[in-house]
Amino acid sequence: MINAATRRQVRTRAGDACEYCALRQEHSPLASLHVEHIIPRKHGGGDSLDNLALACIDCNLAKGTNLTGIDPLSDQIVQLFHPRRQRWEDHFAWQGVLLTGKTAEGRATIEVLRINSEEQVQLRSAVRGG
């Protein structure tokens, strides 16, 4: 079980935003952002700060125990984006309310986590006033 102090550290480090889709806690009033295991316990991941990320409920549930995905451009199996080892800006870019992948890892993460689902895009559009 992850203790309250560690949860606060993860939340503060992430700036109260999902480390995958960038949804801010204030835009998710019905569900708190989750502290998730980047490498799930099932695959040997532990509770250290280096293995924890803040994720919205949609990203967390879609990611589940996945470590990899298929890059839709190359059809290759690649590792998902790792918020502790990689920089978000290197792998993702915004095109309006759509998140695009700059790399194979970014594209696969967007697909596996369903970051551009109709519901996510509608929420981002409402939040951004578009």
Side-chain angles (χ1 to χ4, degrees), residues 46-83:
D47 293 342
S48 71
L49 281 171
D50 288 340
N51 190 45
L52 300 175
L54 195 62
C56 71
I57 191 167
D58 291 324
C59 286
N60 191 28
L61 291 175
K63 181 176 174 282
T65 60
N66 289 305
L67 296 172
T68 62
I70 298 173
D71 172 20
L73 287 185
S74 68
D75 287 331
Q76 297 294 307
I77 296 172
V78 297
Q79 291 188 346
L80 298 179
F81 170 71
H82 191 300

PDB file of all heavy atoms in Angstrom, residues 46-83:
ATOM      1  N   GLY A  46       7.769  -1.859  -8.144  1.00  0.00           N
ATOM      2  CA  GLY A  46       7.576  -1.601  -6.723  1.00  0.00           C
ATOM      3  C   GLY A  46       6.909  -0.270  -6.458  1.00  0.00           C
ATOM      4  O   GLY A  46       6.413   0.392  -7.373  1.00  0.00           O
ATOM      5  N   ASP A  47       6.927   0.128  -5.193  1.00  0.00           N
ATOM      6  CA  ASP A  47       6.270   1.349  -4.750  1.00  0.00           C
ATOM      7  C   ASP A  47       7.221   2.535  -4.619  1.00  0.00           C
ATOM      8  O   ASP A  47       6.886   3.537  -3.991  1.00  0.00           O
ATOM      9  CB  ASP A  47       5.583   1.112  -3.398  1.00  0.00           C
ATOM     10  CG  ASP A  47       4.422   0.137  -3.484  1.00  0.00           C
ATOM     11  OD1 ASP A  47       3.917  -0.100  -4.597  1.00  0.00           O
ATOM     12  OD2 ASP A  47       4.017  -0.387  -2.430  1.00  0.00           O
ATOM     13  N   SER A  48       8.405   2.450  -5.221  1.00  0.00           N
ATOM     14  CA  SER A  48       9.348   3.568  -5.124  1.00  0.00           C
ATOM     15  C   SER A  48       8.848   4.740  -5.960  1.00  0.00           C
ATOM     16  O   SER A  48       8.092   4.559  -6.928  1.00  0.00           O
ATOM     17  CB  SER A  48      10.734   3.152  -5.618  1.00  0.00           C
ATOM     18  OG  SER A  48      10.718   2.987  -7.024  1.00  0.00           O
ATOM     19  N   LEU A  49       9.263   5.940  -5.606  1.00  0.00           N
ATOM     20  CA  LEU A  49       8.856   7.139  -6.348  1.00  0.00           C
ATOM     21  C   LEU A  49       9.219   7.039  -7.821  1.00  0.00           C
ATOM     22  O   LEU A  49       8.516   7.585  -8.671  1.00  0.00           O
ATOM     23  CB  LEU A  49       9.489   8.384  -5.736  1.00  0.00           C
ATOM     24  CG  LEU A  49       8.818   8.906  -4.474  1.00  0.00           C
ATOM     25  CD1 LEU A  49       9.656  10.002  -3.836  1.00  0.00           C
ATOM     26  CD2 LEU A  49       7.416   9.411  -4.790  1.00  0.00           C
ATOM     27  N   ASP A  50      10.313   6.354  -8.135  1.00  0.00           N
ATOM     28  CA  ASP A  50      10.744   6.209  -9.527  1.00  0.00           C
ATOM     29  C   ASP A  50       9.804   5.349 -10.359  1.00  0.00           C
ATOM     30  O   ASP A  50       9.897   5.338 -11.581  1.00  0.00           O
ATOM     31  CB  ASP A  50      12.151   5.610  -9.605  1.00  0.00           C
ATOM     32  CG  ASP A  50      13.212   6.589  -9.174  1.00  0.00           C
ATOM     33  OD1 ASP A  50      12.944   7.808  -9.174  1.00  0.00           O
ATOM     34  OD2 ASP A  50      14.319   6.145  -8.837  1.00  0.00           O
ATOM     35  N   ASN A  51       8.907   4.630  -9.701  1.00  0.00           N
ATOM     36  CA  ASN A  51       7.977   3.767 -10.424  1.00  0.00           C
ATOM     37  C   ASN A  51       6.528   4.232 -10.298  1.00  0.00           C
ATOM     38  O   ASN A  51       5.613   3.523 -10.681  1.00  0.00           O
ATOM     39  CB  ASN A  51       8.082   2.316  -9.933  1.00  0.00           C
ATOM     40  CG  ASN A  51       7.322   1.366 -10.831  1.00  0.00           C
ATOM     41  OD1 ASN A  51       7.405   1.436 -12.052  1.00  0.00           O
ATOM     42  ND2 ASN A  51       6.531   0.489 -10.230  1.00  0.00           N
ATOM     43  N   LEU A  52       6.325   5.427  -9.785  1.00  0.00           N
ATOM     44  CA  LEU A  52       4.971   5.918  -9.589  1.00  0.00           C
ATOM     45  C   LEU A  52       4.711   7.148 -10.445  1.00  0.00           C
ATOM     46  O   LEU A  52       5.595   7.987 -10.627  1.00  0.00           O
ATOM     47  CB  LEU A  52       4.733   6.253  -8.112  1.00  0.00           C
ATOM     48  CG  LEU A  52       4.888   5.086  -7.142  1.00  0.00           C
ATOM     49  CD1 LEU A  52       4.754   5.570  -5.710  1.00  0.00           C
ATOM     50  CD2 LEU A  52       3.878   3.977  -7.433  1.00  0.00           C
ATOM     51  N   ALA A  53       3.497   7.237 -10.964  1.00  0.00           N
ATOM     52  CA  ALA A  53       3.083   8.389 -11.762  1.00  0.00           C
ATOM     53  C   ALA A  53       1.656   8.738 -11.385  1.00  0.00           C
ATOM     54  O   ALA A  53       0.910   7.907 -10.864  1.00  0.00           O
ATOM     55  CB  ALA A  53       3.169   8.060 -13.252  1.00  0.00           C
ATOM     56  N   LEU A  54       1.279   9.975 -11.666  1.00  0.00           N
ATOM     57  CA  LEU A  54      -0.090  10.405 -11.455  1.00  0.00           C
ATOM     58  C   LEU A  54      -0.841  10.223 -12.762  1.00  0.00           C
ATOM     59  O   LEU A  54      -0.359  10.627 -13.828  1.00  0.00           O
ATOM     60  CB  LEU A  54      -0.118  11.875 -11.018  1.00  0.00           C
ATOM     61  CG  LEU A  54      -1.430  12.365 -10.415  1.00  0.00           C
ATOM     62  CD1 LEU A  54      -1.763  11.608  -9.127  1.00  0.00           C
ATOM     63  CD2 LEU A  54      -1.361  13.864 -10.146  1.00  0.00           C
ATOM     64  N   ALA A  55      -2.004   9.594 -12.699  1.00  0.00           N
ATOM     65  CA  ALA A  55      -2.773   9.304 -13.909  1.00  0.00           C
ATOM     66  C   ALA A  55      -4.253   9.550 -13.658  1.00  0.00           C
ATOM     67  O   ALA A  55      -4.763   9.260 -12.576  1.00  0.00           O
ATOM     68  CB  ALA A  55      -2.560   7.862 -14.345  1.00  0.00           C
ATOM     69  N   CYS A  56      -4.926  10.072 -14.682  1.00  0.00           N
ATOM     70  CA  CYS A  56      -6.385  10.207 -14.589  1.00  0.00           C
ATOM     71  C   CYS A  56      -6.980   8.798 -14.614  1.00  0.00           C
ATOM     72  O   CYS A  56      -6.318   7.828 -14.992  1.00  0.00           O
ATOM     73  CB  CYS A  56      -6.925  11.073 -15.724  1.00  0.00           C
ATOM     74  SG  CYS A  56      -6.861  10.313 -17.352  1.00  0.00           S
ATOM     75  N   ILE A  57      -8.223   8.713 -14.212  1.00  0.00           N
ATOM     76  CA  ILE A  57      -8.869   7.404 -14.134  1.00  0.00           C
ATOM     77  C   ILE A  57      -8.913   6.720 -15.501  1.00  0.00           C
ATOM     78  O   ILE A  57      -8.699   5.515 -15.612  1.00  0.00           O
ATOM     79  CB  ILE A  57     -10.271   7.508 -13.489  1.00  0.00           C
ATOM     80  CG1 ILE A  57     -10.800   6.114 -13.171  1.00  0.00           C
ATOM     81  CG2 ILE A  57     -11.221   8.331 -14.342  1.00  0.00           C
ATOM     82  CD1 ILE A  57     -12.017   6.113 -12.276  1.00  0.00           C
ATOM     83  N   ASP A  58      -9.159   7.504 -16.586  1.00  0.00           N
ATOM     84  CA  ASP A  58      -9.242   6.897 -17.912  1.00  0.00           C
ATOM     85  C   ASP A  58      -7.899   6.322 -18.349  1.00  0.00           C
ATOM     86  O   ASP A  58      -7.832   5.196 -18.845  1.00  0.00           O
ATOM     87  CB  ASP A  58      -9.746   7.912 -18.940  1.00  0.00           C
ATOM     88  CG  ASP A  58     -11.208   8.276 -18.714  1.00  0.00           C
ATOM     89  OD1 ASP A  58     -11.992   7.395 -18.324  1.00  0.00           O
ATOM     90  OD2 ASP A  58     -11.559   9.453 -18.918  1.00  0.00           O
ATOM     91  N   CYS A  59      -6.827   7.088 -18.177  1.00  0.00           N
ATOM     92  CA  CYS A  59      -5.504   6.585 -18.565  1.00  0.00           C
ATOM     93  C   CYS A  59      -5.101   5.396 -17.709  1.00  0.00           C
ATOM     94  O   CYS A  59      -4.587   4.393 -18.219  1.00  0.00           O
ATOM     95  CB  CYS A  59      -4.452   7.692 -18.470  1.00  0.00           C
ATOM     96  SG  CYS A  59      -4.554   8.922 -19.801  1.00  0.00           S
ATOM     97  N   ASN A  60      -5.357   5.482 -16.410  1.00  0.00           N
ATOM     98  CA  ASN A  60      -4.964   4.405 -15.504  1.00  0.00           C
ATOM     99  C   ASN A  60      -5.694   3.109 -15.831  1.00  0.00           C
ATOM    100  O   ASN A  60      -5.079   2.041 -15.916  1.00  0.00           O
ATOM    101  CB  ASN A  60      -5.223   4.825 -14.053  1.00  0.00           C
ATOM    102  CG  ASN A  60      -4.602   3.880 -13.054  1.00  0.00           C
ATOM    103  OD1 ASN A  60      -3.607   3.227 -13.322  1.00  0.00           O
ATOM    104  ND2 ASN A  60      -5.194   3.819 -11.884  1.00  0.00           N
ATOM    105  N   LEU A  61      -7.001   3.196 -16.040  1.00  0.00           N
ATOM    106  CA  LEU A  61      -7.762   1.976 -16.344  1.00  0.00           C
ATOM    107  C   LEU A  61      -7.387   1.399 -17.703  1.00  0.00           C
ATOM    108  O   LEU A  61      -7.309   0.177 -17.862  1.00  0.00           O
ATOM    109  CB  LEU A  61      -9.263   2.261 -16.271  1.00  0.00           C
ATOM    110  CG  LEU A  61      -9.804   2.539 -14.869  1.00  0.00           C
ATOM    111  CD1 LEU A  61     -11.279   2.924 -14.938  1.00  0.00           C
ATOM    112  CD2 LEU A  61      -9.591   1.350 -13.948  1.00  0.00           C
ATOM    113  N   ALA A  62      -7.148   2.255 -18.692  1.00  0.00           N
ATOM    114  CA  ALA A  62      -6.776   1.757 -20.022  1.00  0.00           C
ATOM    115  C   ALA A  62      -5.373   1.150 -20.014  1.00  0.00           C
ATOM    116  O   ALA A  62      -5.129   0.150 -20.685  1.00  0.00           O
ATOM    117  CB  ALA A  62      -6.863   2.882 -21.051  1.00  0.00           C
ATOM    118  N   LYS A  63      -4.466   1.746 -19.251  1.00  0.00           N
ATOM    119  CA  LYS A  63      -3.094   1.234 -19.204  1.00  0.00           C
ATOM    120  C   LYS A  63      -3.062  -0.129 -18.523  1.00  0.00           C
ATOM    121  O   LYS A  63      -2.393  -1.050 -18.996  1.00  0.00           O
ATOM    122  CB  LYS A  63      -2.173   2.212 -18.479  1.00  0.00           C
ATOM    123  CG  LYS A  63      -0.731   1.730 -18.428  1.00  0.00           C
ATOM    124  CD  LYS A  63       0.157   2.776 -17.776  1.00  0.00           C
ATOM    125  CE  LYS A  63       1.559   2.264 -17.583  1.00  0.00           C
ATOM    126  NZ  LYS A  63       1.691   1.365 -16.435  1.00  0.00           N
ATOM    127  N   GLY A  64      -3.776  -0.244 -17.421  1.00  0.00           N
ATOM    128  CA  GLY A  64      -3.800  -1.517 -16.709  1.00  0.00           C
ATOM    129  C   GLY A  64      -2.398  -2.034 -16.442  1.00  0.00           C
ATOM    130  O   GLY A  64      -1.540  -1.311 -15.957  1.00  0.00           O
ATOM    131  N   THR A  65      -2.143  -3.277 -16.812  1.00  0.00           N
ATOM    132  CA  THR A  65      -0.818  -3.867 -16.591  1.00  0.00           C
ATOM    133  C   THR A  65       0.030  -3.859 -17.864  1.00  0.00           C
ATOM    134  O   THR A  65       1.057  -4.524 -17.937  1.00  0.00           O
ATOM    135  CB  THR A  65      -0.943  -5.309 -16.057  1.00  0.00           C
ATOM    136  OG1 THR A  65      -1.640  -6.095 -17.011  1.00  0.00           O
ATOM    137  CG2 THR A  65      -1.644  -5.343 -14.712  1.00  0.00           C
ATOM    138  N   ASN A  66      -0.413  -3.092 -18.878  1.00  0.00           N
ATOM    139  CA  ASN A  66       0.340  -3.031 -20.135  1.00  0.00           C
ATOM    140  C   ASN A  66       1.696  -2.359 -19.946  1.00  0.00           C
ATOM    141  O   ASN A  66       1.803  -1.342 -19.264  1.00  0.00           O
ATOM    142  CB  ASN A  66      -0.443  -2.248 -21.200  1.00  0.00           C
ATOM    143  CG  ASN A  66      -1.643  -3.005 -21.691  1.00  0.00           C
ATOM    144  OD1 ASN A  66      -1.528  -4.130 -22.137  1.00  0.00           O
ATOM    145  ND2 ASN A  66      -2.815  -2.389 -21.596  1.00  0.00           N
ATOM    146  N   LEU A  67       2.692  -2.912 -20.579  1.00  0.00           N
ATOM    147  CA  LEU A  67       4.029  -2.319 -20.635  1.00  0.00           C
ATOM    148  C   LEU A  67       4.368  -1.879 -22.052  1.00  0.00           C
ATOM    149  O   LEU A  67       5.251  -1.048 -22.254  1.00  0.00           O
ATOM    150  CB  LEU A  67       5.093  -3.332 -20.181  1.00  0.00           C
ATOM    151  CG  LEU A  67       5.014  -3.794 -18.734  1.00  0.00           C
ATOM    152  CD1 LEU A  67       5.997  -4.924 -18.500  1.00  0.00           C
ATOM    153  CD2 LEU A  67       5.271  -2.638 -17.795  1.00  0.00           C
ATOM    154  N   THR A  68       3.664  -2.457 -23.032  1.00  0.00           N
ATOM    155  CA  THR A  68       3.953  -2.197 -24.439  1.00  0.00           C
ATOM    156  C   THR A  68       2.662  -1.953 -25.208  1.00  0.00           C
ATOM    157  O   THR A  68       1.574  -2.198 -24.711  1.00  0.00           O
ATOM    158  CB  THR A  68       4.679  -3.397 -25.095  1.00  0.00           C
ATOM    159  OG1 THR A  68       3.810  -4.533 -25.046  1.00  0.00           O
ATOM    160  CG2 THR A  68       6.004  -3.705 -24.423  1.00  0.00           C
ATOM    161  N   GLY A  69       2.851  -1.472 -26.424  1.00  0.00           N
ATOM    162  CA  GLY A  69       1.744  -1.290 -27.342  1.00  0.00           C
ATOM    163  C   GLY A  69       2.278  -1.405 -28.757  1.00  0.00           C
ATOM    164  O   GLY A  69       3.488  -1.586 -28.964  1.00  0.00           O
ATOM    165  N   ILE A  70       1.404  -1.259 -29.724  1.00  0.00           N
ATOM    166  CA  ILE A  70       1.815  -1.326 -31.121  1.00  0.00           C
ATOM    167  C   ILE A  70       1.793   0.078 -31.704  1.00  0.00           C
ATOM    168  O   ILE A  70       0.776   0.772 -31.636  1.00  0.00           O
ATOM    169  CB  ILE A  70       0.889  -2.269 -31.923  1.00  0.00           C
ATOM    170  CG1 ILE A  70       1.005  -3.688 -31.356  1.00  0.00           C
ATOM    171  CG2 ILE A  70       1.234  -2.233 -33.406  1.00  0.00           C
ATOM    172  CD1 ILE A  70       0.027  -4.676 -31.957  1.00  0.00           C
ATOM    173  N   ASP A  71       2.931   0.498 -32.251  1.00  0.00           N
ATOM    174  CA  ASP A  71       3.015   1.782 -32.922  1.00  0.00           C
ATOM    175  C   ASP A  71       2.161   1.704 -34.179  1.00  0.00           C
ATOM    176  O   ASP A  71       2.418   0.865 -35.048  1.00  0.00           O
ATOM    177  CB  ASP A  71       4.472   2.095 -33.271  1.00  0.00           C
ATOM    178  CG  ASP A  71       4.641   3.328 -34.139  1.00  0.00           C
ATOM    179  OD1 ASP A  71       3.714   4.172 -34.192  1.00  0.00           O
ATOM    180  OD2 ASP A  71       5.708   3.459 -34.766  1.00  0.00           O
ATOM    181  N   PRO A  72       1.139   2.569 -34.300  1.00  0.00           N
ATOM    182  CA  PRO A  72       0.259   2.473 -35.469  1.00  0.00           C
ATOM    183  C   PRO A  72       0.941   2.806 -36.799  1.00  0.00           C
ATOM    184  O   PRO A  72       0.433   2.420 -37.850  1.00  0.00           O
ATOM    185  CB  PRO A  72      -0.864   3.470 -35.157  1.00  0.00           C
ATOM    186  CG  PRO A  72      -0.339   4.357 -34.100  1.00  0.00           C
ATOM    187  CD  PRO A  72       0.700   3.592 -33.362  1.00  0.00           C
ATOM    188  N   LEU A  73       2.078   3.461 -36.775  1.00  0.00           N
ATOM    189  CA  LEU A  73       2.780   3.762 -38.031  1.00  0.00           C
ATOM    190  C   LEU A  73       3.649   2.615 -38.513  1.00  0.00           C
ATOM    191  O   LEU A  73       3.690   2.305 -39.691  1.00  0.00           O
ATOM    192  CB  LEU A  73       3.639   5.024 -37.888  1.00  0.00           C
ATOM    193  CG  LEU A  73       2.903   6.346 -37.825  1.00  0.00           C
ATOM    194  CD1 LEU A  73       3.892   7.504 -37.800  1.00  0.00           C
ATOM    195  CD2 LEU A  73       1.948   6.500 -38.993  1.00  0.00           C
ATOM    196  N   SER A  74       4.363   1.974 -37.585  1.00  0.00           N
ATOM    197  CA  SER A  74       5.298   0.921 -37.989  1.00  0.00           C
ATOM    198  C   SER A  74       4.775  -0.491 -37.742  1.00  0.00           C
ATOM    199  O   SER A  74       5.368  -1.452 -38.207  1.00  0.00           O
ATOM    200  CB  SER A  74       6.614   1.086 -37.220  1.00  0.00           C
ATOM    201  OG  SER A  74       6.416   0.805 -35.831  1.00  0.00           O
ATOM    202  N   ASP A  75       3.683  -0.600 -36.987  1.00  0.00           N
ATOM    203  CA  ASP A  75       3.149  -1.896 -36.558  1.00  0.00           C
ATOM    204  C   ASP A  75       4.128  -2.685 -35.699  1.00  0.00           C
ATOM    205  O   ASP A  75       3.992  -3.895 -35.542  1.00  0.00           O
ATOM    206  CB  ASP A  75       2.698  -2.752 -37.752  1.00  0.00           C
ATOM    207  CG  ASP A  75       1.418  -2.249 -38.374  1.00  0.00           C
ATOM    208  OD1 ASP A  75       0.597  -1.648 -37.648  1.00  0.00           O
ATOM    209  OD2 ASP A  75       1.227  -2.463 -39.582  1.00  0.00           O
ATOM    210  N   GLN A  76       5.103  -2.002 -35.120  1.00  0.00           N
ATOM    211  CA  GLN A  76       6.078  -2.634 -34.239  1.00  0.00           C
ATOM    212  C   GLN A  76       5.614  -2.554 -32.790  1.00  0.00           C
ATOM    213  O   GLN A  76       4.984  -1.577 -32.381  1.00  0.00           O
ATOM    214  CB  GLN A  76       7.442  -1.940 -34.363  1.00  0.00           C
ATOM    215  CG  GLN A  76       8.068  -2.052 -35.743  1.00  0.00           C
ATOM    216  CD  GLN A  76       8.426  -3.480 -36.092  1.00  0.00           C
ATOM    217  OE1 GLN A  76       9.118  -4.156 -35.345  1.00  0.00           O
ATOM    218  NE2 GLN A  76       7.934  -3.938 -37.225  1.00  0.00           N
ATOM    219  N   ILE A  77       5.950  -3.560 -32.010  1.00  0.00           N
ATOM    220  CA  ILE A  77       5.676  -3.542 -30.574  1.00  0.00           C
ATOM    221  C   ILE A  77       6.752  -2.684 -29.913  1.00  0.00           C
ATOM    222  O   ILE A  77       7.948  -2.900 -30.134  1.00  0.00           O
ATOM    223  CB  ILE A  77       5.686  -4.963 -29.983  1.00  0.00           C
ATOM    224  CG1 ILE A  77       4.546  -5.783 -30.595  1.00  0.00           C
ATOM    225  CG2 ILE A  77       5.563  -4.914 -28.460  1.00  0.00           C
ATOM    226  CD1 ILE A  77       4.575  -7.251 -30.228  1.00  0.00           C
ATOM    227  N   VAL A  78       6.311  -1.699 -29.137  1.00  0.00           N
ATOM    228  CA  VAL A  78       7.242  -0.787 -28.453  1.00  0.00           C
ATOM    229  C   VAL A  78       6.794  -0.604 -27.007  1.00  0.00           C
ATOM    230  O   VAL A  78       5.637  -0.833 -26.663  1.00  0.00           O
ATOM    231  CB  VAL A  78       7.311   0.593 -29.151  1.00  0.00           C
ATOM    232  CG1 VAL A  78       7.853   0.464 -30.565  1.00  0.00           C
ATOM    233  CG2 VAL A  78       5.961   1.281 -29.156  1.00  0.00           C
ATOM    234  N   GLN A  79       7.719  -0.172 -26.172  1.00  0.00           N
ATOM    235  CA  GLN A  79       7.379   0.130 -24.790  1.00  0.00           C
ATOM    236  C   GLN A  79       6.518   1.375 -24.732  1.00  0.00           C
ATOM    237  O   GLN A  79       6.627   2.261 -25.583  1.00  0.00           O
ATOM    238  CB  GLN A  79       8.647   0.332 -23.962  1.00  0.00           C
ATOM    239  CG  GLN A  79       9.431  -0.923 -23.764  1.00  0.00           C
ATOM    240  CD  GLN A  79      10.568  -0.731 -22.782  1.00  0.00           C
ATOM    241  OE1 GLN A  79      10.940   0.373 -22.420  1.00  0.00           O
ATOM    242  NE2 GLN A  79      11.129  -1.844 -22.341  1.00  0.00           N
ATOM    243  N   LEU A  80       5.651   1.434 -23.725  1.00  0.00           N
ATOM    244  CA  LEU A  80       4.848   2.625 -23.504  1.00  0.00           C
ATOM    245  C   LEU A  80       5.723   3.738 -22.916  1.00  0.00           C
ATOM    246  O   LEU A  80       6.789   3.473 -22.352  1.00  0.00           O
ATOM    247  CB  LEU A  80       3.691   2.322 -22.546  1.00  0.00           C
ATOM    248  CG  LEU A  80       2.681   1.279 -23.022  1.00  0.00           C
ATOM    249  CD1 LEU A  80       1.611   1.063 -21.967  1.00  0.00           C
ATOM    250  CD2 LEU A  80       2.053   1.697 -24.347  1.00  0.00           C
ATOM    251  N   PHE A  81       5.250   4.964 -23.043  1.00  0.00           N
ATOM    252  CA  PHE A  81       5.922   6.118 -22.466  1.00  0.00           C
ATOM    253  C   PHE A  81       6.131   5.899 -20.974  1.00  0.00           C
ATOM    254  O   PHE A  81       5.237   5.446 -20.266  1.00  0.00           O
ATOM    255  CB  PHE A  81       5.059   7.369 -22.706  1.00  0.00           C
ATOM    256  CG  PHE A  81       5.513   8.576 -21.959  1.00  0.00           C
ATOM    257  CD1 PHE A  81       6.677   9.235 -22.322  1.00  0.00           C
ATOM    258  CD2 PHE A  81       4.775   9.069 -20.896  1.00  0.00           C
ATOM    259  CE1 PHE A  81       7.094  10.359 -21.632  1.00  0.00           C
ATOM    260  CE2 PHE A  81       5.178  10.190 -20.201  1.00  0.00           C
ATOM    261  CZ  PHE A  81       6.349  10.843 -20.570  1.00  0.00           C
ATOM    262  N   HIS A  82       7.328   6.228 -20.496  1.00  0.00           N
ATOM    263  CA  HIS A  82       7.702   6.068 -19.088  1.00  0.00           C
ATOM    264  C   HIS A  82       7.951   7.457 -18.509  1.00  0.00           C
ATOM    265  O   HIS A  82       8.981   8.071 -18.790  1.00  0.00           O
ATOM    266  CB  HIS A  82       8.962   5.202 -18.988  1.00  0.00           C
ATOM    267  CG  HIS A  82       9.289   4.751 -17.613  1.00  0.00           C
ATOM    268  ND1 HIS A  82       9.543   5.614 -16.573  1.00  0.00           N
ATOM    269  CD2 HIS A  82       9.424   3.507 -17.103  1.00  0.00           C
ATOM    270  CE1 HIS A  82       9.822   4.943 -15.486  1.00  0.00           C
ATOM    271  NE2 HIS A  82       9.745   3.649 -15.783  1.00  0.00           N
ATOM    272  N   PRO A  83       7.013   7.980 -17.700  1.00  0.00           N
ATOM    273  CA  PRO A  83       7.126   9.347 -17.199  1.00  0.00           C
ATOM    274  C   PRO A  83       8.366   9.654 -16.356  1.00  0.00           C
ATOM    275  O   PRO A  83       8.745  10.814 -16.231  1.00  0.00           O
ATOM    276  CB  PRO A  83       5.868   9.535 -16.347  1.00  0.00           C
ATOM    277  CG  PRO A  83       4.936   8.472 -16.762  1.00  0.00           C
ATOM    278  CD  PRO A  83       5.769   7.349 -17.289  1.00  0.00           C
TER     279      PRO A  83
END
